[in-house]
Amino acid sequence: MTILEVQNIRKKFGEKTVHDGLNLSVQQGEILSLFGGSGTGKSVFLRSLIGLERVDSGSILYRGKQIQNLTETELFEIRKNIAYVFQNGALFDSMTVAENLAYPLIEHTNLSDNEMREKIDSMLSLIGLEGSQTLLPASLSGGMQKRVGLARSIILEPELILYDEPTAGLDPQNTKNLLEIMAKLRKMGKTGIFVTHDIPAALEVSDRIAILNNRRIHIVESVENIKKSTDPVVKAFIEGSVG
Ligand SMILES: Nc1ncnc2c1ncn2[C@@H]1O[C@H](COP(=O)(O)OP(=O)(O)O)[C@@H](O)[C@H]1O
Ligand SMILES: [Mg+2]
């Protein structure tokens, strides 16, 4: 089932066209990785999906519902279902881990303190940071902070998760931890769009790969087909000469 359908979108900043005739559909439950050189519009694309950027033309359908013309109030609802895991998902320094995680719950839900506590505990267990409720972010390693940032982004239990270079700057062990969490979330039925320069990681966790090139999706194929593709753009990515 298609959860997200992007049709022929066009996006300009001033004279600069970032997307032109970009099409992509995402199936429920899959992880689709998105490759593209720096500055090709991957983050702008993800931001467009939750209305943080307005496209100039074309349409974005989330579960069949047009999102590009929604009001802020309507987008607020959509953003409970679509999480954006930021490149630098900064935590609030003066708040504990639990307070950081409680923040979206307080903003968006009417859960009781007990229900919030339970949800926070289960998120911490998902990210392998049980017992860190009362710690301040400064006392966590960078990799742990990233995981808490991810937990905060998904604590409202979205069904679609937009990962914007979540492993950038992480060492191999922390990258592995994060990829394992992504795989767990996929098992739980969450759909993911994974923007990354880490091609081997993407090939490992994804169902399909899309490549953004020349302002549109150049190709979208299964991991298997991408690996054996003879397309020069694909080969450049897979062989690591671009990205
Ligand atoms: N708010 C903005 N105003 C003007 N230009 C922008 C804005 N946001 C992004 N851009 C430009 O759009 C292009 C794509 O940016 P981005 O999506 O961040 O690239 P990346 O693929 O590296 O994530 C870049 O050239 C960037 O400078
Ligand atoms: Mg980016």
Side-chain angles (χ1 to χ4, degrees):
M1 203 207 94
T2 301
I3 190 168
L4 186 77
E5 183 84 49
V6 176
Q7 295 169 335
N8 204 22
I9 60 169
R10 183 152 197 254
K11 172 69 180 172
K12 283 171 72 171
F13 290 107
E15 290 301 297
K16 187 188 163 84
T17 303
V18 178
H19 302 136
D20 193 6
L22 189 155
N23 295 294
L24 184 66
S25 74
V26 179
Q27 303 304 306
Q28 177 158 20
E30 75 172 336
I31 292 185
L32 180 123
S33 284
L34 179 61
F35 300 163
S38 279
T40 55
K42 303 179 297 298
S43 295
V44 168
F45 175 69
L46 294 185
R47 290 165 56 79
S48 302
L49 302 180
I50 48 171
L52 288 175
E53 298 285 357
R54 299 285 182 167
V55 297
D56 298 313
S57 60
S59 81
I60 299 171
L61 298 161
Y62 169 67
R63 292 196 165 282
K65 189 179 165 129
Q66 297 266 8
I67 75 118
Q68 77 274 16
N69 298 318
L70 297 183
T71 63
E72 277 303 315
T73 319
E74 292 166 321
L75 286 171
F76 192 79
E77 289 305 309
I78 294 281
R79 289 180 195 141
K80 288 183 196 168
N81 295 316
I82 308 180
Y84 185 11
V85 181
F86 287 85
Q87 229 152 348
N88 300 304
L91 300 172
F92 301 114
D93 290 336
S94 61
M95 293 186 189
T96 65
V97 166
E99 286 165 349
N100 267 283
L101 295 183
Y103 193 85
L105 299 174
I106 294 166
E107 288 276 287
H108 288 269
T109 73
N110 297 311
L111 295 183
S112 69
D113 286 357
N114 259 333
E115 289 166 327
M116 276 200 261
R117 209 167 294 129
E118 274 175 24
K119 212 174 249 293
I120 290 166
D121 291 352
S122 81
M123 284 309 291
L124 288 175
S125 127
L126 174 79
I127 62 169
L129 286 176
E130 297 90 343
S132 58
Q133 283 82 346
T134 59
L135 299 178
L136 285 170
S139 66
L140 300 174
S141 73
M144 289 173 178
Q145 290 183 24
K146 276 245 161 133
R147 277 186 270 159
V148 176
L150 168 63
R152 190 181 56 188
S153 307
I154 62 173
I155 200 156
L156 296 173
E157 300 182 23
E159 57 173 4
L160 172 59
I161 307 173
L162 312 177
Y163 301 97
D164 197 345
E165 303 197 36
T167 63
L170 292 182
D171 63 31
Q173 182 57 49
N174 279 305
T175 297
K176 187 164 169 277
N177 292 339
L178 207 110
L179 294 171
E180 279 170 10
I181 297 167
M182 289 175 63
K184 270 194 224 170
L185 290 164
R186 184 186 175 285
K187 272 217 183 90
M188 290 161 67
K190 309 288 184 195
T191 309
I193 304 180
F194 181 24
V195 167
T196 185
H197 291 282
D198 189 342
I199 312 290
L203 295 175
E204 199 182 305
V205 300
S206 312
D207 299 280
R208 292 192 302 155
I209 307 284
I211 297 180
L212 181 55
N213 188 54
N214 242 337
R215 297 176 287 281
R216 55 173 64 100
I217 299 297
H218 176 77
I219 192 170
V220 49
E221 280 287 348
S222 68
V223 167
E224 192 191 346
N225 286 344
I226 286 286
K227 280 181 177 165
K228 59 185 191 213
S229 173
T230 54
D231 180 296
V233 173
V234 177
K235 285 180 77 175
F237 272 95
I238 302 305
E239 289 160 13
S241 53
V242 179

